[in-house]
């Protein structure tokens, strides 16, 4: 409804604006050459006449006797695309081109007063200057009685009125020899210029009977100059224009300054009439001549009275026009007010409709809300009941889980103690001791996890108690950190413990066991997620908080992979894991947070993905009295066991033995790697990698004969690793066996889609693993013979990568058979592989070394040449790349069972 109301308001506003806006039908541009009283009168007449036509807009620009200005004004009107152009040219030759341009562009052009040197205009309105010149000449003849000297002051040189008036004057006077034009000067239509010119003329010629100026202003300027020379009474002064008004031509005749003047009509009203005839497609005269008349002392007074009356009437018309405009403004304002009232009434009606509609809607919604409220109350009761049932079920599950965890401790204890006793038996073989150590270590890992779960349940039930004792935290941190030095060296991690103030007293009351577990949990995470050559910094300092009390601050910072924003807010939630590829129960950090809060402290985390993580622990520094009795504590895992769990680094790398098959084991669990390695090391050369990325690098470096890869690993999981192995040229032929703790068919399908050759589930039987691996390797060996026989290669299930690799290798050998210096390094460089990678790849695919394949290809080519050509044995020897005929003969006999000479004799 609001949208409809807004749309209505906009529509009404648009109607109101359209009703009050003045519509322009025609735009007329006027370019005046000068800015004088005669032009002012014409402009006023044009504007006043335009008022009688509806929708006519007139714009007047004055060039002030400057050709460049007038050309710019006319171009301005052309660019503005006026409907009609009115031009009074300053000089005909200069203004003609731009007027023709406007005419060619389809703009009607009305030339007024003065003409151009072309007929490219629509109409002309003005007096006949030639006839005016003749009338002046006739007046001079009559006034001087056919005898006398005349001085002529012309207008601007190049203007058509000046040329035509001069011509009309001379045509009349040349027929009367008694009249002599003694001089003709250019007054440029200006009084001041004419006065200056007359000053110089009077100095040389004072016997002048009559001065004729082509307008009244120049005639007045000549009179003033003559008066300075005291010659004004000796000569007559005649002008043209006869403008009414103070100090203009008619008044100057009455005052005796001028002897006579001729009316030169402005005709502004006539100009507009012709323009409107053109615009409205009515008939019009192309040349409109305005009439003229003589004004002298006999009719000057009557002329002045008439002009005064006309001026008075013009004033009245102007006042009437102003009153009409005022009435129109009032009408427009009243119209706007009326429309505004209409809009307000409509808005009020719309608002009333909205209020009524809102009232009905409110009643309907209240009824609907009442029904929904009843439903919500019923649902609330159901939710409360379900919540109680869920809480009871959850409590029962947690109780069951806790009881099961308690039950785990007894068998784990019964397993751990016998294993410890067996480890003390000196009769055990090294292999038996190694296996028992794996059992012993993982039993304590399970025991630690069980203890964590039980402790967390105690914390949730508010039954977890602190056993505080005074200890020096700095000393304890140094002792605990020492256990991680070996791990830091193995992973090439820069591990530093810094104490900001060595003199500070870090003696404080804490539960040593729980603080140790907090510290080891933070450090274990740091070592897990910090890559080789990274940095782990532990900082201990003191601070005083605003709420009071002294605190010890422990900061553990690493340069590891970091934690994203979406995961960091849940990092202390129980059972929360960032993703399935990171091992752990998801309870360690939650338990660490619980231990810190039991001490009255606070733990926070700050992390930037890809740059590292910083854990900050603040613990109050308080002291307690030492307990007098021994406190019984539950068995706990030792710190050494935790560090052993983290030590998943590679042992000294074993260089693959070319005489034994090489197996690569990729698994993030060091115990699993060690166990699988113990199963394989008697028969195979074994190399290891702790994650998919490291495994991919080692596979490309050593090109093993088979790969055993775990699925869930950090950095790069097994599926991605398998996919990359099968797409890399160096490793695409290697069979891959995936290990997984998940037995879902969906994951198996993903593994086979990534190119896996076999799949085995954890926990696995050692005999099953060995048999699967042996069968996988044997099946791969069966394919090698087909790579040696090009005719059967296409029939086998061989990847396109390997097939293309073998074809490219054969082509390189054939192209370089004659090169006796051809080496494995040269072939590897052209194939994009190192010597070791090429050797192991070719050996795995064909069961031959690269050198053997080159030699076989040369011998087969030599046999073909012996059978099909007449070349000697020596020629063939060098052609196929052998450096010595004797060595060629030896190799040929070993491969074919007869010498080249015997073959030639047999061939006959």
């Amino acid at each position: 409804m609001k949208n409809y109301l807004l749309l209505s308001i906009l529509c009404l506003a648009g109607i109101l604006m359209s009703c009050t806006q003045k519509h322009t039908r025609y735009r007329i541009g006027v370019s005046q050459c000068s800015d004088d009283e005669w032009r002012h009168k014409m402009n006023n007449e044009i504007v006043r006449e335009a008022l009688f036509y509806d929708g006519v807009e007139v714009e007047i620009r004055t060039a002030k006797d400057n050709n460049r200005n007038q050309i710019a004004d006319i171009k301005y009107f052309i660019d503005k695309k006026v409907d009609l152009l009115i031009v009074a040219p300053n000089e005909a030759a200069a203004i003609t081109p731009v007027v023709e341009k406007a005419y060619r562009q389809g703009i009607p052009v009305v030339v007024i007063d003065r003409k151009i040197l072309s007929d490219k205009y629509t109409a002309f309105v003005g007096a006949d200057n030639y006839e005016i010149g003749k009338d002046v000449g006739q007046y001079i003849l009559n006034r001087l009685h056919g005898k006398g000297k005349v001085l002529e002051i012309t207008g601007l040189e190049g203007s058509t009125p000046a040329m035509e008036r001069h011509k009309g004057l001379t045509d009349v006077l040349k027929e009367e020899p008694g009249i002599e034009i003694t001089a003709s000067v250019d007054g440029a239509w200006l009084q001041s210029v004419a006065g200056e010119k007359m000053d110089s003329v009077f100095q040389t010629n004072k016997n002048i009977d009559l001065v004729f100026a082509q307008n009244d202003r120049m005639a007045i300027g000549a009179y003033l100059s003559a008066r300075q020379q005291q010659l004004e009474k000796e000569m007559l002064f005649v002008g043209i224009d006869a403008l009414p008004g103070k100090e203009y031509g008619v008044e100057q005749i009455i005052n005796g300054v001028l002897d006579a003047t001729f009316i030169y009509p402005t005709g502004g009203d006539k100009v507009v009439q012709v323009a409107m005839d053109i615009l409205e497609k009515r008939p019009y005269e192309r040349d409109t001549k305005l009439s003229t008349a003589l004004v002298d002392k006999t009719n000057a007074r009557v002329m002045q009275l008439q002009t005064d009356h006309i001026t008075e009437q013009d004033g009245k018309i102007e006042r009437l026009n102003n009153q009409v405009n005022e009435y129109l403004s009032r009408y427009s304002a009243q119209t706007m007010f009326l429309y505004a009232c209409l809009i307000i009434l409509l808005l009020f009606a719309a608002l009333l409709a909205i209020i009524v509609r809102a009232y009905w809607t409110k009643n309907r919604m209240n009824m609907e809300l009442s029904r929904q409220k009843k439903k919500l109350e019923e649902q609330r009761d159901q939710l409360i009941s379900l919540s109680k049932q869920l809480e009871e079920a959850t409590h029962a599950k947690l109780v069951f889980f806790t009881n099961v965890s308690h039950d785990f401790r007894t068998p784990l204890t019964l397993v751990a103690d016998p294993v410890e006793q067996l480890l003390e038996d000196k009769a055990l073989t090294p292999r038996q001791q190694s296996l028992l150590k794996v059992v012993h270590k993982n039993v304590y890992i399970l025991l630690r996890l069980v203890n964590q779960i039980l402790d967390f349940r105690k914390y949730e039930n508010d039954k977890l108690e602190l056993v505080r004792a005074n200890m020096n935290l700095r000393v304890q941190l140094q002792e605990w950190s020492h256990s991680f030095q070996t791990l830091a060296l193995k992973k090439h991690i820069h591990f530093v413990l810094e104490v900001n103030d060595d003199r500070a007293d870090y003696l404080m009351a804490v539960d040593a066991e729980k603080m140790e577990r907090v510290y080891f949990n933070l450090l274990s995470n740091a070592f897990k997620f910090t890559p080789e050559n990274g940095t782990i910094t532990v900082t201990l300092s003191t601070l005083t908080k605003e709420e009071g009390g002294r605190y010890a601050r422990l900061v553990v910072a690493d340069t590891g992979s970091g934690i994203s924003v979406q995961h960091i807010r849940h990092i202390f939630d129980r059972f929360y894991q960032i993703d399935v590829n990171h091992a752990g129960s998801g309870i360690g950090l939650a338990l660490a947070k619980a231990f810190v809060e039991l001490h009255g402290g606070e733990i926070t985390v700050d992390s930037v993905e890809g740059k590292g993580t910083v854990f900050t622990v603040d613990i109050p520094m308080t002291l307690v009295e030492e307990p007098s009795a021994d406190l019984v504590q539950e068995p706990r895992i030792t710190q050494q066991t935790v560090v052993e769990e983290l030590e998943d680094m590679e042992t000294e790398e074993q260089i693959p033995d070319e005489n034994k098959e090489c197996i690569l084991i990729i698994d993030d669990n060091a115990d699993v790697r060690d166990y699988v390695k113990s199963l394989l090391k008697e028969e195979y050369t074994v190399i290891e990698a702790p994650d998919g990325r490291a495994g991919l690098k080692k596979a490309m470096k050593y090109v093993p004969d088979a790969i055993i890869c775990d699925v869930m690993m950090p950095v790069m999981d097994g599926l991605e690793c398998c996919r990359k192995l099968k797409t890399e040229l160096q490793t695409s032929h290697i069979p891959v066996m995936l290990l997984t703790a998940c037995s879902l068919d969906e994951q198996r399908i993903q593994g086979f889609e990534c190119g896996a050759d076999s799949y085995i589930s954890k926990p696995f039987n050692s005999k099953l693993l060995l048999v699967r691996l042996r069968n996988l390797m044997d099946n791969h060996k069966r394919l090698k013979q087909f790579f040696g026989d090009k005719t059967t290669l296409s029939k086998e299930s061989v990847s396109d990568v390997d097939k293309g690799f073998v074809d490219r290798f054969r082509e390189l050998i054939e192209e370089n058979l004659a090169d006796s210096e051809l080496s494995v390094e040269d072939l590897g460089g052209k194939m994009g592989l190192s010597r070791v990678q090429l050797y192991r790849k070719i050996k795995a695919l064909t069961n031959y070394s690269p050198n053997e394949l080159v030699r076989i290809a040369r011998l087969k080519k030599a046999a073909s040449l012996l059978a099909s050509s007449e070349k000697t044995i020596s020629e063939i020897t060098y052609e196929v790349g052998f450096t010595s005929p004797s060595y060629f003969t030896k190799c040929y006999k070993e491969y074919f069972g007869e010498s080249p000479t015997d073959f030639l004799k047999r061939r006959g």
Side-chain angles (χ1 to χ4, degrees), residues 434-491:
S434 176
L435 293 175
L436 284 174
K437 285 182 179 179
V438 172
V439 174
H440 180 266
K441 175 181 175 181
N442 284 278
V443 165
Y444 274 96
I445 291 173
L446 287 173
L447 185 59
R448 179 171 60 86
L449 293 174
V450 169
N451 287 337
Q452 282 188 347
I453 293 171
L454 294 175
D455 285 344
F456 196 78
R457 284 292 296 144
K458 290 180 181 178
Y459 174 74
E460 287 185 329
N461 295 328
D462 293 329
K463 294 182 179 179
L464 186 63
E465 297 180 354
L466 292 179
V467 182
R468 292 178 179 268
N470 296 332
M471 74 171 191
N472 191 314
L473 184 59
R474 177 179 59 186
V475 175
Q476 287 299 122
L477 288 180
Q478 291 172 346
E479 180 181 341
W480 295 336
S481 300
H482 182 72
S483 301
F484 287 89
Q485 294 298 332
T486 303
L487 178 60
L489 291 173
K490 287 184 177 181
K491 289 194 72 174

Side-chain angles (χ1 to χ4, degrees), residues 293-464:
L294 171 66
V295 179
D296 56 11
K297 291 183 179 180
T298 61
N299 61 358
R301 182 70 63 182
V302 175
M303 182 74 177
Q304 187 179 33
L305 292 174
Q306 290 178 343
T307 54
D308 289 344
H309 181 70
I310 292 172
T311 302
E312 182 180 355
Q313 295 300 320
D314 288 343
K316 291 180 179 180
I317 292 173
E318 187 69 25
R319 287 194 296 272
L320 287 173
N321 180 61
N322 292 334
Q323 289 178 356
V324 169
N325 289 335
E326 184 180 354
Y327 294 150
L328 289 175
S329 298
R330 291 179 183 178
Y331 172 76
S332 176
Q334 291 171 355
T335 303
M336 290 181 65
F337 179 74
L338 176 61
Y339 283 126
C341 292
L342 290 175
I343 291 175
I344 292 172
L345 288 174
L346 289 174
L347 290 176
F348 181 76
L351 183 61
L352 183 61
I354 291 173
I355 293 173
V356 172
R357 182 182 177 86
Y359 177 75
W360 291 342
T361 304
K362 180 182 178 183
N363 289 338
R364 187 172 62 253
M365 290 181 65
N366 286 336
M367 295 175 63
E368 183 66 25
L369 287 173
S370 298
R371 289 194 296 269
Q372 291 183 0
K373 182 179 179 182
K374 293 179 180 179
K375 292 181 179 179
L376 289 174
E377 289 176 351
E378 294 175 358
Q379 293 176 358
R380 181 195 62 188
D381 295 338
Q382 293 176 359
L383 287 174
I384 292 173
S385 177
L386 290 174
S387 177
K388 289 181 179 179
Q389 295 176 12
L390 180 62
E391 185 178 354
E392 292 174 358
T394 303
H395 180 71
K397 290 179 180 179
L398 290 175
V399 170
F400 172 76
F401 192 47
T402 304
N403 293 337
V404 171
S405 299
H406 275 289
D407 292 340
F408 280 155
R409 298 184 67 185
T410 300
L412 286 174
T413 304
L414 293 176
V415 172
D417 187 63
V419 169
E420 289 181 355
Q421 293 182 26
L422 287 173
L423 283 172
E424 295 176 358
D425 189 353
K426 297 181 179 180
L428 294 175
T429 64
R431 176 175 171 75
Q432 291 172 336
Q433 285 187 343
S434 176
L435 293 175
L436 284 174
K437 285 182 179 179
V438 172
V439 174
H440 180 266
K441 175 181 175 181
N442 284 278
V443 165
Y444 274 96
I445 291 173
L446 287 173
L447 185 59
R448 179 171 60 86
L449 293 174
V450 169
N451 287 337
Q452 282 188 347
I453 293 171
L454 294 175
D455 285 344
F456 196 78
R457 284 292 296 144
K458 290 180 181 178
Y459 174 74
E460 287 185 329
N461 295 328
D462 293 329
K463 294 182 179 179
L464 186 63

Side-chain angles (χ1 to χ4, degrees), residues 101-113:
K101 177 181 178 182
Y103 184 79
R104 286 195 302 270
Q105 292 191 11
I107 301 175
V109 179
V110 177
V111 179
I112 58 173
D113 177 30

